[in-house]
């Protein structure tokens, strides 16, 4: 299908302009240009508030000149404004201060002294360029300029400037917003009255949306605020519809897959296990259990996400699901993100099951099963036994890392895969599973401690059912957290170490977490640390960040500060057996203080650990800090988390630490976290700044639009999964799937 919007730009614009569009913005067709929406609009006579500018932005501002100075870069002396023409060939710096009425912005022009005669005080003009920071002052360096009041203008120019709104486009110095505006106008004027619309007519009417032609006109050349709103509303809906159609199609495919139904059977392992549980299940645990049992009984694969705070008791829920499958003659695999965690899970499960896991052993219960551990660090014999147990079906439960899904590992009858502490379990991974189990795909339960807002779950995880554990098991007191500003108040850091000593004195144990290992120059990013905030501004200025504090540095320091305590280190580059040994000694209480990287982030369970000190806490993301501190206060002891930072109170990043210290509500923190990120990061998309299929839609703000579009997409796909009757929507879906930025959909 070929339409107007597929036509090449060079048929409409000059060859040179068309080439610039291709080179700078990768825009080659009419459709691509028209989908390059204005980022903002300038109401005539309105000045852009400068406080909305951010360093790094390609910004266009409307300002009034306040002051102009020209300086010679050779003599460092100011040049009288009357003389500037004489300096045309010399090195000069023209500084222009413009204002939006409240704040000033500095413009710096090199070697263009004549500008001083044009940009005289009082002149209103548009300026565009990159926002930079120079000695604490926000600047546009060498910006493009367009004086707004001027005599010698063409008629078209006068008409253009007389419009009530000026669109401001994402622009660059090579392709200023005014050029984009002119080009869009030319293209729009030559387009047909009707263009093919991905949104079906009936939907347009039902949802009261602009048709595509009208929306394009209004989004680029609006006459009123309402035009802008209505046009954007239409495009947001379209983006949501395309995305939800992709997800609805995907759900249809998943729903068509077969799975062996594993209905709950009384009188088996699960019932025995429930009877001997040393505690009552929380209400949430029971409810989620029932949801899972209902899913498992269906002849289609379950694909469910279980989210719950650290310590909310997800493991028990997973174990009950696994036992239910084993009761049905199937097997379950539990995948952990790291070997340390796989080992720990294996221990936990074995302990919880007691003689129910002692199949074939003296004293094993009647219908006991076997929990096998399969990791890369097993010796050949151990590995062979575990593989054999998986393949023969002797092991009802197999614990390992993702390597379990490798081809070599065979299962007798894999019925359920539980993925711990991860919320992404890719399409490919699921495909690998189906390949393993022939015509039947195993049920999948994914667990995460990172709460995911509803809209994100609906988009990024569109084909996932979501269960949430909201309570913590009874008797757990929420952890206390404080920020320790080590630079401002060094005595607080001293106090923190004293506190560590006191905790150990009370028989408790302590974690000290560092962002870096420190045995070489490389950052410890191999340990999934988030260094998002690493070089964040302080007092409005980017700081040359010193390297993050390392495990090695803290280890040296504590040898002096706490020489009498048993202090050891743990990080991802230790050999696996050494890691295990350290972890077991810590779990056994033979280590007082464990200095570690984020390897201890997920799943580690040492109830006797009461305190966590996080060094350079600002180097970690909000959600990550929340997860980390979930490692302490897991038993009856009161948990304490100290967030040590060199930041000064009052900076933005310090505020994030304050937020972590002031609430233990994971959903609230997750929301704060997501708000401070960009949309692309939310979707897990690399910020390439390239063409995006989501331009106006925000998965955080536009919940109602996404819900409405999801409803429409479901009804379309339920009767016409291939979109045969909706060729334009079909084309939009295909092009979205081709664009880089729907990669996030592929990963779920
Ligand atoms: P997470 O959700 O972080 O994986 P776990 O499953 O590791 O949490 O559970 C944390 C701790 O709480 C474990 O020691 C577990 O035995 C305990 N626990 C789980 N459910 C309950 C309950 N209903 N009552 C009391 N303790 C529980
Ligand atoms: Mg866990």
């Amino acid at each position: 299908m070929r339409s107007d919007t597929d036509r090449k730009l060079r048929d409409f614009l000059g060859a040179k302009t068309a080439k610039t569009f291709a080179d700078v913005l990768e825009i080659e067709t009419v459709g691509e240009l028209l989908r390059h929406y204005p980022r903002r609009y300038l109401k005539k006579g309105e000045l852009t508030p400068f406080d909305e500018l951010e360093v790094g932005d390609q910004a266009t501002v409307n300002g009034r000149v306040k002051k102009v100075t020209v300086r010679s870069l050779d003599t460092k002396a100011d040049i009288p404004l009357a003389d500037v023409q004489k300096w045309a060939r010399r090195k000069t710096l023209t500084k222009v201060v413009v204002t939006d009425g409240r704040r000033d912005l500095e413009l710096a022009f090199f070697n263009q002294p004549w500008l001083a005669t044009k940009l005289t005080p009082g002149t209103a003009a548009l300026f565009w360029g990159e926002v930079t920071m120079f000695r604490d002052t926000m600047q546009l360096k060498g910006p493009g300029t367009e004086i707004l009041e001027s005599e010698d203008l063409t008629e078209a120019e006068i008409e253009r400037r007389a419009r009530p709104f000026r669109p401001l486009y994402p622009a660059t110095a090579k392709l200023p917003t005014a050029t984009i505006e002119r080009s869009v106008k030319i293209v729009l004027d030559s387009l047909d009255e009707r263009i093919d619309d991905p949104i079906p007519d009936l939907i347009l009417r039902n949802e009261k949306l602009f048709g595509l032609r009208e929306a394009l006109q209004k989004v680029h050349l609006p006459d009123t605020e309402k035009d802008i709103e209505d046009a954007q509303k239409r495009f947001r809906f379209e983006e949501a519809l395309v995305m939800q159609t992709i997800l609805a199609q995907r759900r249809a495919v998943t729903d068509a897959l077969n799975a062996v139904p594993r209905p709950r059977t009384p009188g088996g392992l699960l019932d025995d296990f429930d009877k001997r549980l040393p505690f009552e299940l929380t209400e949430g645990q029971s409810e989620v259990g029932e949801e899972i049992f209902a899913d498992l009984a269906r002849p289609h694969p379950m694909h469910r996400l279980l989210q719950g705070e650290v310590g909310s008791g997800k493991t028990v829920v997973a174990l009950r699901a696994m036992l239910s499958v084993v009761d049905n003659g199937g097997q379950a695999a539990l995948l952990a993100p790291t070997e340390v965690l796989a080992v720990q899970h294996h221990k936990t499960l074995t302990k919880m099951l007691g003689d129910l896991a002692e199949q074939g052993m003296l004293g094993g219960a009647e219908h006991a099963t076997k929990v096998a551990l399969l990791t890369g660090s097993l010796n050949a014999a151990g590995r062979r036994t575990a593989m054999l147990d998986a393949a023969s079906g002797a092991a009802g439960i197999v614990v390992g890392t993702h390597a379990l899904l490798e081809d070599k590992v065979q299962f007798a009858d894999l019925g359920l895969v539980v993925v711990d502490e991860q919320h992404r379990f890719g399409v490919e991974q699921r495909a690998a599973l189906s390949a393993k189990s022939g015509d039947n795909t195993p049920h999948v339960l994914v667990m995460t401690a990172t709460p995911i807002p509803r809209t994100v779950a609906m988009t990024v995880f569109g084909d996932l059912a979501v269960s949430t554990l909201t309570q913590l098991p009874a008797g757990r007191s929420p952890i206390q957290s404080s920020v320790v500003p080590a630079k401002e108040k060094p005595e607080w850091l001293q106090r923190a170490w004293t506190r560590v000593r006191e905790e150990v004195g009370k028989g408790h144990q302590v974690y000290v977490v560092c962002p870096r290992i420190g045995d070489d120059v490389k950052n410890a990013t191999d340990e999934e640390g988030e260094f998002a905030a690493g070089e964040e501004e302080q007092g409005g200025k980017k700081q040359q960040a010193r390297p993050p504090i390392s495990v090695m540095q803290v280890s040296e320091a504590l040898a002096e500060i706490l020489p009498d305590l048993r202090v050891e280190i743990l990080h991802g580059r230790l050999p696996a057996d050494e890691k295990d040994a350290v972890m077991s000694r810590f779990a056994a209480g033979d280590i007082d203080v464990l200095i570690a990287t984020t390897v201890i982030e997920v799943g580690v369970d040492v109830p006797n650990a009461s305190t966590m000190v996080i060094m350079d806490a600002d180097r970690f993301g909000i959600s990550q800090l929340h997860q980390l501190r979930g490692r302490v206060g897991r038993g009856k002891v009161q948990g304490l988390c100290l967030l040590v930072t060199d930041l000064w109170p009052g900076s933005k990043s310090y505020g994030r630490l304050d937020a972590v210290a002031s609430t233990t509500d994971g959903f609230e923190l997750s929301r704060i976290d997501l708000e401070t990120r960009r949309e692309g990061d939310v979707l897990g998309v690399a910020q390439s700044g390239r063409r995006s299929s989501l331009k106006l839609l925000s998965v955080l703000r536009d919940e109602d639009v996404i819900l409405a579009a999801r409803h429409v997409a479901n009804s379309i796909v339920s009767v016409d999964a291939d979109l045969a009757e909706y060729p334009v929507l079909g084309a939009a879906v295909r092009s979205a799937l081709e664009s880089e930025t729907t990669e996030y959909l592929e990963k779920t």
Side-chain angles (χ1 to χ4, degrees):
M1 197 178 48
R2 208 179 152 70
S3 71
D4 256 8
T5 47
D6 292 331
R7 289 176 59 187
K8 293 285 177 204
L9 266 193
R10 58 173 181 269
D11 299 344
F12 295 81
L13 309 173
K16 199 170 146 228
T17 313
K19 183 164 182 327
T20 312
F21 271 104
D23 292 348
V24 177
L25 295 174
E26 292 181 36
I27 288 176
E28 292 182 23
T29 67
V30 165
E32 286 162 5
L33 176 62
L34 294 179
R35 298 294 183 151
H36 190 66
Y37 309 125
R39 182 159 61 169
R40 288 183 296 129
Y41 299 85
L42 203 62
K43 209 169 164 179
K44 205 174 158 210
E46 189 181 59
L47 298 186
T48 307
F50 290 173
D51 51 14
E52 287 173 17
L53 297 177
E54 281 185 37
V55 172
D57 272 1
Q58 278 293 337
T60 303
V61 299
N62 183 2
R64 201 171 280 281
V65 177
K66 225 164 109 173
K67 187 174 160 216
V68 188
T69 49
V70 184
R71 202 162 49 117
S72 158
L73 289 176
D74 299 324
T75 67
K76 308 282 180 223
D78 279 355
I79 300 165
L81 292 183
D83 293 346
V84 291
Q85 301 292 6
K86 293 186 209 150
W87 287 74
R89 289 170 178 284
R90 315 269 290 274
K91 285 196 173 136
T92 56
L93 171 62
T94 304
K95 268 195 185 165
V96 179
V97 178
V98 295
T99 178
D100 65 354
R102 285 184 299 146
R103 277 185 58 169
D104 292 348
L105 178 68
E106 202 173 89
L107 315 173
F109 300 92
F110 290 94
N111 310 329
Q112 304 171 65
W114 59 85
L115 278 174
T117 61
K118 297 232 157 76
L119 297 172
T120 51
T123 309
L126 290 181
F127 304 95
W128 57 87
E130 185 178 331
V131 182
T132 56
M133 191 59 86
F134 181 72
R135 291 203 184 127
D136 279 339
T137 311
M138 226 184 225
Q139 277 196 345
L140 291 185
K141 204 174 278 172
T145 46
E146 179 184 324
I147 293 170
L148 292 174
E149 299 135 19
S150 179
E151 286 90 57
D152 47 353
L153 290 177
T154 65
E155 288 222 10
E157 211 34 37
I158 290 169
E159 188 205 307
R160 189 169 70 84
R161 292 181 180 197
R163 296 195 57 82
F165 291 93
R166 296 284 306 277
L168 296 179
Y169 292 92
T172 68
K174 272 195 198 142
L175 202 46
T177 178
T179 309
I180 301 176
E181 185 185 349
R182 269 192 295 270
S183 309
V184 166
K185 176 109 184 10
I186 293 169
V187 167
L188 272 178
D189 286 349
S190 54
L191 267 195
D192 282 349
E193 261 322 293
R194 160 116 210 137
I195 39 182
D196 292 336
D197 195 332
I199 308 183
D201 278 343
L202 181 68
I203 309 297
L204 288 177
R205 269 190 314 251
N206 283 348
E207 303 287 331
K208 300 194 177 52
L209 297 172
F210 278 156
L212 180 54
R213 179 71 176 85
E214 188 173 16
L216 287 171
Q217 188 77 30
K218 301 290 193 197
V219 83
H220 292 291
L221 301 169
D223 291 314
T224 61
E225 303 264 5
K226 186 148 189 336
D227 282 347
I228 300 173
E229 276 166 34
D230 288 348
Q232 290 185 338
K233 181 174 149 207
R234 181 236 133 82
F235 289 119
R236 268 198 289 275
F237 186 89
E238 181 184 325
E239 288 173 13
L241 179 64
V242 169
M243 177 165 73
Q244 292 300 329
T245 302
I246 294 172
L247 292 169
Q249 287 178 320
R250 188 161 297 164
R251 275 193 298 273
V253 171
T254 317
D255 286 348
L257 291 176
N258 297 319
V260 178
R262 315 270 182 184
R264 192 172 168 173
T265 30
L269 276 171
L270 176 56
D271 281 354
D272 282 357
F273 175 75
D274 279 353
K275 264 181 243 152
R276 64 174 66 185
L277 256 183
F279 45 70
E280 288 265 306
L281 292 177
T282 64
E283 224 170 278
Q285 283 172 322
S286 306
E287 275 170 22
V288 173
E290 294 309 316
E291 286 172 345
I292 293 172
F293 296 137
D295 281 358
L296 291 176
R298 294 175 65 234
H300 303 291
M302 167 172 82
H303 189 208
R304 185 170 284 276
L305 173 73
L306 170 57
Q307 50 179 7
E309 288 282 316
V310 172
S312 59
K314 296 186 290 293
T315 315
V316 182
V317 173
L319 179 52
R320 294 180 74 235
M322 293 192 281
L323 292 177
S324 187
V325 168
V326 175
D327 280 339
N328 263 283
Q331 291 168 290
L334 173 58
L335 310 189
T338 63
E339 294 220 344
V340 177
L341 286 169
V343 171
Q344 191 162 23
H345 269 310
H346 179 253
K347 275 188 198 137
T348 310
L349 298 190
T350 315
K351 202 169 112 207
M352 286 177 107
L353 287 170
D355 61 357
L356 296 177
E358 293 176 0
Q359 180 210 61
M361 281 195 254
L362 216 58
E366 190 192 337
H367 29 231
T369 186
K370 200 170 189 180
V371 183
L373 174 68
L374 193 49
T375 63
S377 48
L378 287 183
N379 61 25
R383 196 173 160 76
R384 206 171 320 119
T385 314
M387 299 261 282
L388 217 59
D389 284 343
S392 69
I397 297 175
V398 183
V399 183
T401 61
H402 281 254
L404 261 192
L405 300 184
E406 277 171 21
D407 282 335
K408 278 177 285 178
V409 186
Q410 294 297 331
F411 289 85
D413 181 10
L414 183 59
L416 170 66
V417 174
V418 178
V419 187
D420 190 27
E421 299 296 357
Q422 205 184 10
H423 45 254
R424 283 181 184 273
F425 188 67
V427 165
E428 300 130 61
Q429 282 155 311
R430 274 191 273 157
L433 276 186
S434 322
K436 264 195 160 355
S437 38
D439 289 343
N440 291 306
T441 309
H443 300 282
V444 173
L445 178 66
V446 182
M447 305 197 288
T448 174
T450 312
I452 298 157
R454 206 163 103 90
T455 41
V456 177
M458 277 190 318
T459 48
V460 182
F461 310 102
D463 56 348
L464 226 69
V466 180
S467 299
T468 307
L469 290 178
T470 47
Q471 319 150 272
L472 292 183
R476 192 82 51 78
S477 43
I479 183 170
Q480 283 175 359
S481 308
S482 336
V483 186
V484 178
K487 242 197 184 127
E488 197 201 33
K489 299 211 157 72
E491 69 279 10
W492 287 24
L493 185 58
Q494 293 312 314
R495 172 83 195 105
W497 299 128
T498 311
R499 187 66 201 267
V500 167
R501 180 191 294 282
E502 289 166 8
E503 285 296 323
V504 173
K506 285 190 244 168
H508 300 154
Q509 290 161 278
V510 178
Y511 295 103
V512 180
V513 181
C514 304
R516 199 165 64 101
I517 301 173
D519 58 352
D520 71 17
V521 280
K522 264 197 316 193
N523 273 353
T525 37
D526 58 322
E527 309 217 1
E528 294 154 40
E530 273 177 56
F531 296 90
E535 42 171 355
E536 216 177 313
E537 55 192 287
Q538 260 177 292
K541 211 173 162 184
K542 268 211 175 135
Q543 293 243 326
Q544 193 54 35
R546 65 154 164 74
I549 293 176
S550 70
V551 169
M552 298 305 164
Q553 282 171 312
V554 174
S555 170
E556 271 170 39
L558 289 194
E560 284 185 18
I561 305 174
L562 306 168
D564 46 330
L565 302 191
R566 295 168 298 174
V567 180
E568 293 203 27
I569 61 173
L570 178 72
H571 57 73
R573 275 209 289 276
L574 291 178
D577 50 349
E578 208 167 309
K579 268 190 288 193
D580 286 355
V582 171
M583 228 23 249
S584 326
R585 280 206 301 282
F586 189 69
D590 295 340
I591 296 173
D592 299 318
V593 179
L594 185 63
I595 309 172
T597 55
T598 52
V599 280
I600 55 128
E601 181 181 351
V602 281
V604 175
D605 191 10
V606 179
N608 190 44
S610 67
T611 303
M612 178 175 285
V613 183
I614 304 180
M615 307 304 293
D616 275 347
D618 49 285
R619 309 275 178 154
F620 300 95
I622 292 179
S623 298
Q624 201 184 13
L625 289 171
H626 181 57
Q627 289 218 7
L628 277 169
R629 70 176 165 181
R631 302 293 118 224
V632 297
R634 288 170 76 84
K636 297 262 178 298
V637 289
Q638 169 73 54
L640 173 70
C641 174
L642 300 173
L643 304 162
V644 180
T645 176
D646 271 1
L647 296 180
W648 299 89
S651 68
K652 201 162 115 196
S653 300
Y654 195 94
R656 295 180 335 131
L657 295 182
D658 258 345
V660 175
S662 63
T663 179
T664 49
D665 179 343
F667 273 95
E668 170 68 10
L669 289 173
S670 165
R671 198 186 49 72
I672 297 172
D673 201 2
L674 289 169
E675 271 171 9
T676 58
R677 289 155 183 253
R678 292 177 192 226
E679 197 82 359
D681 300 335
V682 174
L683 297 175
V685 171
Q687 276 293 297
S688 58
R690 292 187 60 197
R691 229 174 279 149
S692 159
S693 61
L694 291 193
K695 291 180 172 169
L696 294 171
L697 187 74
S698 159
V699 292
L700 293 180
R701 284 189 310 270
D702 296 323
E703 178 168 355
D704 46 346
V705 183
I706 293 172
L707 275 175
R710 181 180 171 92
H711 185 71
V712 170
N714 280 342
S715 46
I716 290 178
V717 171
S718 66
V719 293
D720 184 5
D722 302 331
L723 305 175
E725 300 289 320
Y726 304 92
V728 191
L729 179 59
V733 161
R734 275 193 302 282
S735 111
L737 283 174
E738 278 161 20
S739 92
E740 274 183 70
T741 45
T742 44
E743 269 174 26
Y744 66 87
L745 292 172
E746 299 304 319
K747 295 217 181 75
T748 62

